[in-house]
Amino acid sequence: MITVSGLDIQFGKRALFQDVNLKFLPGNCYGIIGANGAGKSTFLRAISKDLEPTRGTITLGPGERLSVLSQDHFAFDEYTVLDTVLMGHTTLWEIKTEKDAIYAKEDFTDEDGIRASELEEKFAEMEGWNAESDAASLLSGLGIKEDLHYRLMKDMSGKQKVRVLLARALFGKPDNLLLDEPTNDLDLETVSWLENYLANFEQTVLVVSHDRHFLDAVSTHTVDIDFGKLKLFAGNYAFWYESSQLALRQQQQQNKKAEEKKKELEEFIRRFRANVAKSKQTTSRKKMIEKLNIEEIEPSSRRYPGIIFTPLRDPGNQILEVSGLTKSVDGEVLFKDLNFNVEKDDKIVFISHDPRAMTALFQIINGEEEADSGTFKWGQTITTAYLPLDNAKFFNSDYNLIEWLSQFAQDTNEVFLKGFLGRMLFSNEEQLKKVHVLSGGEKMRCMISRMMLKDANTLVLDTPTNHLDLESIQAFNNTLFKFKGNVLFSSHDHEFIQTVANRVIELTPNGHIDRMIEYDDYITDPKVAEMREKLYAR
């Protein structure tokens, strides 16, 4: 349990939020949402005592343990992977370290024997003898194979370190768990493992994430940081988003009678309850459905970028033909003998255990890389807009945003460009910033703007939700769902894939799977599972 009383956090003259009074209870998972800069991570830092609040107190239940997902990827470089996870339970690790040090003594005394006995008793009470196997199980669930468990952290890749640090946070079933962007750098299968783990976690969890499917799968409650306040309500992100949009529409319909508004809200809650009752996050300990009420529904101050793709011409029947494409990197096969035709209205998600496979494929069909063998051919009516994974080369200049965007626009009128950037949520002041100092999210909004100016009828998107906030992801998702053209993309965002793709192509070094199917059906189809097992077993 975490109790927040009278919390104020202020930086200089700017008050981030004031007089926060909240209680977070065991058995619930609280999704923390808010626009960039609203204070989501700051709030978690205050709870973890990494940041001293301006005023107020934060307390845990008596004797409770708090665990935090570490953001420092170098703090444990001199420790083994397994020891790094074990260190997540500080008290257990201290007991183990002292106990091992006593047994290592050459001059073992009677006093040492008494102390060792005391430590052994405490160690047993904390189920210390199961600690290594529990830690190994967590690591395996997160995709860190057993042969890596005794390797030093400094020898692990960045993505592997993320998984080890997540295992460290989960280890020992802490009473209170703080997770800031836990799905970063995780593949879809590992995210699914984490969703299931947290859905059965009986302690208190606070999580910040830009992954909407993850928030919906694990959250019983949502904490919305808006208007400088923190408001807690029952329900997940989907409920918050749909209800805030409904409330905004009602606010704009000033002439609508109060009785009609109430009836509409009650119908919305009834439908939402029915949907949630069928989903996997509803367990006996999660009663959020029963607690939804009309009073919690109100408009949000969030602003969504105006992402709209308008093809200059409709695509013909011939979109893209790929024949026998094979690609290797440093002698390692990413995909081989890849054959597929893109049909009209196809929105295809490409997936693989190795994300380099999708990037290589997209680079090849956009003329930026050469295949080892095979051919591809675009139809004559097709115009493409490509969003690469790495956009660094586009921002190595001293241009401001207006100058930068003018490179890609037929209409270079400054009024038009300013209006265009304004729809992408860049203020007049921000439009004069140099592009090389932009944040990752700002660069992505610039790249999306560049794509929109091309008026293409086929979009190629390599992990398009990277660095974007929830509002931008939602706007991007909504426009692709309605887009009257073809989309070829990769993503780690489950909700993005499920709502956009109508076809799945999985790339492996030993062949590929091609299914005209929604993603949720793909991952639960036993025939697909059998095909995957055969391909990856070769």
Coordinates of all heavy atoms in Angstrom, one line a residue, residues 382-434:
I382 N 1.8 3.5 -58.0 CA 2.1 3.6 -56.6 C 3.1 4.7 -56.2 O 4.2 4.8 -56.9 CB 2.7 2.2 -56.1 CG1 1.7 1.1 -56.3 CG2 3.1 2.3 -54.6 CD1 0.3 1.3 -55.8
T383 N 2.7 5.5 -55.3 CA 3.6 6.5 -54.7 C 3.8 6.1 -53.2 O 2.8 5.8 -52.5 CB 3.1 7.9 -54.8 OG1 1.7 7.9 -54.2 CG2 3.0 8.3 -56.2
T384 N 5.0 6.2 -52.7 CA 5.3 5.7 -51.4 C 5.8 6.8 -50.5 O 6.5 7.8 -51.0 CB 6.4 4.6 -51.4 OG1 7.6 5.1 -51.9 CG2 5.9 3.4 -52.2
A385 N 5.6 6.7 -49.2 CA 6.2 7.5 -48.2 C 6.7 6.6 -47.1 O 6.1 5.7 -46.6 CB 5.1 8.5 -47.5
Y386 N 8.0 6.8 -46.8 CA 8.8 5.9 -45.9 C 9.2 6.5 -44.6 O 9.8 7.6 -44.6 CB 10.0 5.4 -46.7 CG 11.0 4.5 -46.0 CD1 10.6 3.5 -45.1 CD2 12.3 4.7 -46.2 CE1 11.5 2.7 -44.4 CE2 13.3 3.9 -45.6 CZ 12.8 2.9 -44.7 OH 13.7 2.1 -44.0
L387 N 8.9 5.9 -43.5 CA 9.3 6.3 -42.2 C 10.4 5.4 -41.7 O 10.0 4.3 -41.3 CB 8.1 6.4 -41.2 CG 8.4 6.9 -39.8 CD1 8.7 8.4 -39.9 CD2 7.2 6.7 -38.9
P388 N 11.7 5.7 -41.8 CA 12.7 4.8 -41.4 C 12.9 4.7 -39.9 O 12.4 5.6 -39.1 CB 14.0 5.4 -42.0 CG 13.7 6.9 -42.0 CD 12.2 7.0 -42.3
L389 N 13.5 3.6 -39.4 CA 13.7 3.4 -38.0 C 14.7 4.5 -37.5 O 14.5 5.1 -36.4 CB 14.3 2.0 -37.8 CG 14.6 1.7 -36.3 CD1 13.4 1.6 -35.5 CD2 15.3 0.3 -36.3
D390 N 15.8 4.7 -38.2 CA 16.8 5.7 -37.8 C 16.6 7.0 -38.7 O 16.8 6.9 -39.9 CB 18.2 5.1 -38.0 CG 19.3 6.1 -37.6 OD1 19.0 7.2 -37.1 OD2 20.5 5.7 -37.7
N391 N 16.3 8.1 -38.0 CA 16.0 9.3 -38.8 C 17.1 10.4 -38.6 O 17.0 11.5 -39.0 CB 14.7 9.9 -38.5 CG 14.5 10.2 -37.0 OD1 15.4 10.7 -36.3 ND2 13.3 10.0 -36.5
A392 N 18.2 10.0 -37.9 CA 19.3 10.9 -37.5 C 19.8 11.8 -38.7 O 20.0 13.0 -38.6 CB 20.4 10.2 -36.8
K393 N 20.0 11.2 -39.9 CA 20.6 11.9 -41.0 C 19.7 13.0 -41.5 O 20.2 13.9 -42.1 CB 20.8 10.9 -42.2 CG 19.6 10.4 -42.8 CD 19.9 9.4 -44.0 CE 18.7 8.9 -44.6 NZ 19.0 7.9 -45.7
F394 N 18.4 13.0 -41.2 CA 17.5 14.1 -41.6 C 17.7 15.4 -40.8 O 17.2 16.4 -41.2 CB 16.1 13.6 -41.5 CG 15.7 12.6 -42.6 CD1 15.8 11.2 -42.3 CD2 15.3 12.9 -43.8 CE1 15.5 10.3 -43.2 CE2 14.9 12.0 -44.8 CZ 15.1 10.6 -44.4
F395 N 18.3 15.3 -39.6 CA 18.4 16.4 -38.7 C 19.8 17.0 -38.5 O 20.0 17.7 -37.5 CB 17.7 16.0 -37.4 CG 16.2 15.6 -37.6 CD1 15.8 14.3 -37.8 CD2 15.2 16.6 -37.7 CE1 14.5 13.9 -38.0 CE2 13.9 16.3 -37.9 CZ 13.5 14.9 -38.0
N396 N 20.7 16.7 -39.3 CA 22.1 17.2 -39.2 C 22.2 18.5 -39.9 O 22.9 18.7 -40.9 CB 23.1 16.2 -39.7 CG 23.1 14.9 -38.9 OD1 22.9 14.9 -37.7 ND2 23.4 13.8 -39.6
S397 N 21.5 19.5 -39.4 CA 21.5 20.8 -40.1 C 21.2 21.9 -39.0 O 20.8 21.6 -37.9 CB 20.6 20.9 -41.2 OG 19.2 21.0 -40.8
D398 N 21.4 23.2 -39.4 CA 21.0 24.3 -38.6 C 19.7 24.9 -39.0 O 19.3 26.0 -38.5 CB 22.1 25.4 -38.6 CG 23.3 25.0 -37.8 OD1 23.2 24.3 -36.8 OD2 24.5 25.3 -38.2
Y399 N 18.9 24.2 -39.8 CA 17.6 24.7 -40.2 C 16.7 24.8 -38.9 O 16.8 23.9 -38.0 CB 16.9 23.7 -41.2 CG 17.5 23.8 -42.5 CD1 17.5 22.6 -43.3 CD2 18.0 24.9 -43.1 CE1 18.0 22.6 -44.6 CE2 18.5 24.9 -44.4 CZ 18.5 23.8 -45.1 OH 19.0 23.8 -46.4
N400 N 15.8 25.7 -38.9 CA 14.7 25.7 -38.0 C 13.6 24.8 -38.6 O 13.7 24.4 -39.7 CB 14.2 27.1 -37.6 CG 13.6 27.9 -38.8 OD1 13.0 27.3 -39.7 ND2 13.8 29.2 -38.8
L401 N 12.5 24.6 -37.8 CA 11.5 23.7 -38.3 C 10.8 24.1 -39.6 O 10.5 23.3 -40.5 CB 10.4 23.5 -37.2 CG 10.6 22.3 -36.2 CD1 11.8 22.6 -35.4 CD2 9.4 22.1 -35.4
I402 N 10.6 25.4 -39.8 CA 10.0 25.9 -41.0 C 10.9 25.7 -42.2 O 10.4 25.2 -43.2 CB 9.6 27.4 -40.8 CG1 8.6 27.6 -39.7 CG2 9.0 28.0 -42.1 CD1 8.4 29.1 -39.3
E403 N 12.1 26.0 -42.0 CA 13.1 25.8 -43.1 C 13.3 24.3 -43.4 O 13.4 23.9 -44.6 CB 14.5 26.4 -42.7 CG 14.4 27.9 -42.6 CD 15.7 28.4 -41.8 OE1 16.3 27.7 -41.1 OE2 16.0 29.6 -42.0
W404 N 13.3 23.5 -42.4 CA 13.4 22.1 -42.6 C 12.3 21.5 -43.4 O 12.4 20.8 -44.4 CB 13.5 21.4 -41.2 CG 13.8 19.9 -41.3 CD1 15.0 19.3 -41.4 CD2 12.8 18.8 -41.3 NE1 14.8 17.9 -41.4 CE2 13.5 17.6 -41.4 CE3 11.4 18.8 -41.3 CZ2 12.8 16.4 -41.4 CZ3 10.7 17.6 -41.3 CH2 11.4 16.4 -41.4
L405 N 11.0 21.9 -43.0 CA 9.9 21.3 -43.7 C 9.7 21.8 -45.1 O 9.2 21.1 -46.0 CB 8.6 21.6 -42.9 CG 7.3 20.9 -43.2 CD1 7.5 19.4 -43.0 CD2 6.1 21.4 -42.4
S406 N 10.2 23.0 -45.4 CA 10.1 23.6 -46.7 C 10.8 22.8 -47.8 O 10.5 22.8 -48.9 CB 10.6 25.0 -46.7 OG 12.0 25.1 -46.5
Q407 N 11.9 22.0 -47.3 CA 12.6 21.1 -48.2 C 11.7 20.1 -48.9 O 12.0 19.6 -50.0 CB 13.7 20.4 -47.5 CG 14.7 21.2 -46.8 CD 15.6 20.3 -46.0 OE1 16.7 19.9 -46.4 NE2 15.2 19.9 -44.8
F408 N 10.6 19.7 -48.2 CA 9.8 18.6 -48.7 C 8.4 19.1 -49.2 O 7.6 18.2 -49.5 CB 9.6 17.6 -47.5 CG 10.9 17.3 -46.8 CD1 11.1 17.7 -45.6 CD2 11.8 16.5 -47.5 CE1 12.3 17.4 -44.9 CE2 13.0 16.2 -46.8 CZ 13.3 16.6 -45.5
A409 N 8.2 20.4 -49.2 CA 6.8 20.9 -49.5 C 6.8 21.5 -50.9 O 7.8 22.3 -51.3 CB 6.4 21.9 -48.5
Q410 N 5.8 21.3 -51.7 CA 5.6 22.0 -52.9 C 5.2 23.5 -52.7 O 5.6 24.4 -53.3 CB 4.6 21.3 -53.8 CG 5.1 20.0 -54.3 CD 4.1 19.4 -55.3 OE1 3.0 19.9 -55.5 NE2 4.4 18.3 -55.9
D411 N 4.3 23.6 -51.7 CA 3.9 25.0 -51.3 C 4.8 25.4 -50.1 O 4.7 25.0 -49.0 CB 2.5 24.9 -50.8 CG 1.9 26.3 -50.4 OD1 2.7 27.3 -50.4 OD2 0.7 26.4 -50.2
T412 N 5.8 26.3 -50.4 CA 6.7 26.8 -49.4 C 6.3 28.1 -48.8 O 7.1 28.7 -48.1 CB 8.1 26.9 -50.0 OG1 8.1 27.8 -51.1 CG2 8.7 25.6 -50.5
N413 N 5.1 28.5 -49.0 CA 4.6 29.7 -48.3 C 4.7 29.5 -46.8 O 4.2 28.5 -46.2 CB 3.1 29.9 -48.7 CG 2.6 31.2 -48.1 OD1 2.2 31.2 -46.9 ND2 2.5 32.3 -48.9
E414 N 5.3 30.5 -46.1 CA 5.5 30.4 -44.7 C 4.2 30.2 -43.9 O 4.2 29.5 -42.9 CB 6.3 31.6 -44.2 CG 6.8 31.4 -42.8 CD 7.8 32.5 -42.4 OE1 8.8 32.7 -43.1 OE2 7.6 33.2 -41.3
V415 N 3.2 30.9 -44.3 CA 1.9 30.8 -43.6 C 1.4 29.4 -43.6 O 0.9 28.8 -42.6 CB 0.9 31.8 -44.2 CG1 -0.5 31.6 -43.6 CG2 1.3 33.2 -44.0
F416 N 1.5 28.7 -44.8 CA 1.1 27.3 -45.0 C 1.9 26.4 -44.1 O 1.4 25.6 -43.3 CB 1.2 26.9 -46.4 CG 1.1 25.4 -46.6 CD1 -0.1 24.7 -46.5 CD2 2.3 24.6 -46.8 CE1 -0.2 23.4 -46.7 CE2 2.2 23.2 -47.0 CZ 1.0 22.6 -46.9
L417 N 3.2 26.6 -44.1 CA 4.1 25.7 -43.3 C 3.9 25.9 -41.8 O 3.9 24.9 -41.0 CB 5.6 26.0 -43.6 CG 6.0 25.7 -45.1 CD1 7.4 26.2 -45.3 CD2 5.9 24.2 -45.3
K418 N 3.7 27.2 -41.4 CA 3.4 27.4 -40.0 C 2.1 26.7 -39.5 O 2.0 26.2 -38.4 CB 3.3 28.9 -39.7 CG 4.7 29.6 -39.6 CD 4.5 31.1 -39.2 CE 5.9 31.7 -38.9 NZ 5.8 33.1 -38.4
G419 N 1.1 26.9 -40.4 CA -0.2 26.2 -40.1 C -0.1 24.7 -40.0 O -0.7 24.1 -39.1
F420 N 0.7 24.2 -40.9 CA 1.0 22.7 -41.0 C 1.6 22.3 -39.7 O 1.2 21.3 -39.1 CB 1.8 22.4 -42.2 CG 1.7 20.9 -42.6 CD1 0.8 20.5 -43.5 CD2 2.6 20.0 -42.1 CE1 0.7 19.1 -43.9 CE2 2.6 18.7 -42.4 CZ 1.6 18.2 -43.3
L421 N 2.7 23.0 -39.3 CA 3.4 22.6 -38.0 C 2.5 22.8 -36.8 O 2.6 22.1 -35.8 CB 4.7 23.5 -37.9 CG 5.8 23.1 -38.9 CD1 6.9 24.2 -39.0 CD2 6.4 21.7 -38.5
G422 N 1.7 23.8 -36.9 CA 0.7 24.1 -35.8 C -0.2 22.9 -35.6 O -0.5 22.5 -34.4
R423 N -0.7 22.3 -36.6 CA -1.5 21.1 -36.5 C -0.8 19.9 -35.9 O -1.4 19.0 -35.4 CB -2.1 20.8 -37.9 CG -3.1 21.7 -38.4 CD -4.0 21.1 -39.6 NE -3.2 20.7 -40.7 CZ -2.8 21.5 -41.7 NH1 -3.1 22.7 -41.7 NH2 -2.1 21.0 -42.7
M424 N 0.5 20.0 -36.1 CA 1.4 18.9 -35.5 C 1.8 19.3 -34.1 O 2.8 18.7 -33.6 CB 2.5 18.6 -36.4 CG 2.1 18.0 -37.7 SD 1.2 16.4 -37.5 CE 2.5 15.3 -36.9
L425 N 1.2 20.3 -33.5 CA 1.4 20.7 -32.1 C 2.7 21.4 -31.8 O 3.2 21.5 -30.7 CB 1.2 19.5 -31.1 CG -0.1 18.8 -31.2 CD1 -0.2 17.7 -30.1 CD2 -1.3 19.7 -31.2
F426 N 3.3 22.1 -32.9 CA 4.5 22.9 -32.7 C 4.0 24.4 -32.6 O 3.4 24.9 -33.5 CB 5.5 22.8 -33.8 CG 6.2 21.4 -33.9 CD1 5.8 20.5 -34.9 CD2 7.1 21.1 -33.0 CE1 6.5 19.3 -35.0 CE2 7.8 19.9 -33.1 CZ 7.4 19.0 -34.1
S427 N 4.3 25.0 -31.4 CA 3.9 26.4 -31.2 C 4.8 27.3 -32.1 O 5.8 26.8 -32.7 CB 4.1 26.8 -29.8 OG 5.5 26.7 -29.4
N428 N 4.4 28.5 -32.2 CA 5.1 29.5 -33.0 C 6.6 29.6 -32.5 O 7.5 29.7 -33.3 CB 4.5 30.9 -32.9 CG 3.2 31.0 -33.7 OD1 3.0 30.2 -34.7 ND2 2.3 31.9 -33.3
E429 N 6.8 29.5 -31.2 CA 8.1 29.6 -30.7 C 8.9 28.3 -31.0 O 10.1 28.4 -31.4 CB 8.0 29.8 -29.1 CG 9.4 29.9 -28.5 CD 9.3 30.1 -27.0 OE1 8.2 30.5 -26.5 OE2 10.3 29.9 -26.2
E430 N 8.3 27.2 -30.9 CA 8.9 25.9 -31.2 C 9.3 25.8 -32.6 O 10.3 25.1 -33.0 CB 8.0 24.7 -30.8 CG 7.9 24.6 -29.3 CD 6.8 23.5 -28.9 OE1 5.9 23.4 -29.7 OE2 7.0 22.9 -27.8
Q431 N 8.6 26.4 -33.5 CA 8.8 26.3 -35.0 C 10.2 27.0 -35.3 O 10.7 26.7 -36.4 CB 7.7 27.0 -35.7 CG 6.4 26.2 -35.7 CD 5.2 26.9 -36.3 OE1 5.4 27.8 -37.1 NE2 4.0 26.5 -36.0
L432 N 10.7 27.8 -34.4 CA 12.0 28.5 -34.7 C 13.2 27.7 -34.1 O 14.3 28.2 -34.3 CB 11.9 29.9 -34.2 CG 10.8 30.8 -34.8 CD1 10.8 32.2 -34.1 CD2 11.0 31.0 -36.3
K433 N 12.9 26.6 -33.5 CA 14.0 25.8 -32.9 C 14.8 25.2 -34.0 O 14.3 24.9 -35.1 CB 13.4 24.7 -32.0 CG 12.8 25.2 -30.7 CD 12.1 24.1 -30.0 CE 12.9 22.9 -29.5 NZ 12.1 22.0 -28.7
K434 N 16.1 25.0 -33.8 CA 16.9 24.3 -34.7 C 16.6 22.8 -34.6 O 16.5 22.2 -33.5 CB 18.4 24.5 -34.4 CG 18.8 26.0 -34.4 CD 18.7 26.6 -35.7 CE 19.2 28.0 -35.7 NZ 19.0 28.7 -37.0

